[in-house]
Amino acid sequence: MADDHFSYGGQAVIEGVMIRGRKGYATAFRLADGGLEVAQQTWVPLTQRHRLLRLPIIRGTPALIDALIVGYRTLIASADVAARGEGIKPPSAFHYALSIAFALVIAIGGFVLLPSAVIPKLHLNALLLNLIEGAIRFIVFVGFILTVSLMPDMRRVFQYHGAEHKVINAFEATGSYGQEEAKNHGTIHQRCGTSFIFMVLFVGILVHAVVGWPEWQWRLLSRLLLLPVVAGISYELVKLAGAHKSSLLMRFIVAPGMWMQRITTRRPTEDQVEVAISALEGALALDAVEAPTEG
């Protein structure tokens, strides 16, 4: 059966799926010739390197840092595989670093700072102003997702995202993860990063309301300084939602993120599900877990 103390999960990449386990992560790629390639990498999470980093709330930030580092590495690996499949030279490490730096600037500037900076000076109480700021963040994020969902390449990534969820859902429910098991499960998952982002938007409103509505320069600084707090609380809530899937309260809290997954996940093909299965098998092998049969 699926592990009661550890939650497997991962992300979709270019023509592939990455699954993280206890001892590392495995990424399965669909090659240009139709074959499969699986790469395994050991990894010690930051939360396992010091007991303080495992404390509730605090552990959210190192967990997010881990996700960003592993995600960055797997995206680079998938881009390299895709480039080789097209017969072109993969981008250099400098180009990758520049792209990631640009993406972080856009993410922090566009989703964290800009929504607060563009609000004119209104004579409203702090809670209402923070609600307006949160609503702007929500609109920006949804608009961004809807825009990228129109790109053909991103639609395929969203299909692999759906494949990852179907396989993880099957594994968590039945302990098995073959094509037949995955076929009987959906593409929505409560611990998805999409749900986490929506939780961050919601928790951010409440946390920022505590500090009121200071002058813009202090307000922007507070948004940056409070990111670990917002991320930590959001992480705990998403973790609780994943552990208590039958709870009406938890289902209500994560509902917006679950709805958004109808855009960020698409129904995968059997070939794409096969990739997700291979990624999970690779992660299980790293963990030395006896892999259940595919049925």
Side-chain angles (χ1 to χ4, degrees):
M1 291 296 290
D3 193 327
D4 293 330
H5 305 289
F6 181 84
S7 298
Y8 286 83
Q11 70 178 58
V13 295
I14 302 169
E15 292 299 325
V17 171
M18 179 274 289
I19 299 291
R20 289 183 63 179
R22 296 186 199 85
K23 299 179 181 179
Y25 56 93
T27 312
F29 308 100
R30 178 66 68 187
L31 304 178
D33 62 5
L36 266 172
E37 178 181 317
V38 180
Q40 296 169 298
Q41 178 65 52
T42 56
W43 178 258
V44 179
L46 292 173
T47 51
Q48 292 183 16
R49 301 180 189 185
H50 198 288
R51 66 181 63 183
L52 290 178
L53 298 180
R54 293 194 290 273
L55 294 176
I57 306 298
I58 292 176
R59 61 187 175 183
T61 297
L64 181 59
I65 292 172
D66 273 331
L68 289 173
I69 294 173
V70 172
Y72 170 69
R73 290 184 174 184
T74 53
L75 281 172
I76 287 178
S78 67
D80 284 348
V81 170
R84 289 197 301 269
E86 296 177 6
I88 59 177
K89 183 180 179 181
S92 66
F94 173 76
H95 283 96
Y96 281 130
L98 195 62
S99 298
I100 294 299
F102 180 73
L104 286 174
V105 169
I106 294 298
I108 294 175
F111 295 123
V112 179
L113 301 180
L114 185 62
S116 182
V118 299
I119 297 177
K121 194 167 186 178
L122 302 173
H123 297 290
L124 299 172
N125 64 48
L127 179 59
L128 281 175
L129 289 168
N130 278 286
L131 283 171
I132 293 171
E133 179 188 13
I136 294 173
R137 284 202 181 96
F138 176 83
I139 292 170
V140 170
F141 177 67
V142 173
F144 172 77
I145 293 297
L146 288 173
T147 300
V148 300
S149 69
L150 300 176
M151 302 167 61
D153 288 344
M154 284 306 301
R155 284 200 293 270
R156 285 194 61 79
V157 172
F158 290 166
Q159 282 183 288
Y160 279 107
H161 191 193
E164 176 227 330
H165 283 185
K166 287 174 76 70
V167 171
I168 292 297
N169 281 330
F171 182 57
E172 291 180 341
T174 70
S176 194
Y177 51 88
Q179 288 282 357
E180 287 304 313
E181 288 81 10
K183 190 181 297 182
N184 296 324
H185 290 81
T187 62
I188 308 299
H189 197 286
Q190 285 175 303
R191 293 196 319 275
C192 176
T194 306
S195 294
F196 175 76
I197 293 174
F198 268 88
M199 193 68 72
V200 166
L201 296 176
F202 172 72
V203 171
I205 294 173
L206 302 180
V207 172
H208 297 154
V210 173
V211 300
W213 194 258
E215 291 297 318
W216 69 270
Q217 64 271 28
W218 299 113
R219 190 165 69 247
L220 297 186
L221 180 62
S222 73
R223 299 307 183 250
L224 291 174
L225 295 178
L226 287 172
L227 269 176
V229 177
V230 174
I233 296 173
S234 302
Y235 176 83
E236 299 300 329
L237 289 173
V238 171
K239 194 174 180 67
L240 276 174
H244 302 281
K245 294 182 180 180
S246 60
S247 167
L248 289 177
L249 176 60
M250 289 293 101
R251 288 167 64 183
F252 175 77
I253 289 176
V254 299
M258 303 283 277
W259 295 334
M260 198 65 189
Q261 287 181 53
R262 299 187 183 279
I263 299 175
T264 61
T265 65
R266 298 291 176 91
R267 184 180 297 277
T269 65
E270 287 192 358
D271 284 349
Q272 291 167 327
V273 172
E274 181 186 15
V275 172
I277 290 171
S278 297
L280 179 56
E281 286 178 339
L284 289 170
L286 273 177
D287 290 346
V289 173
E290 183 178 355
T293 62
E294 291 188 23

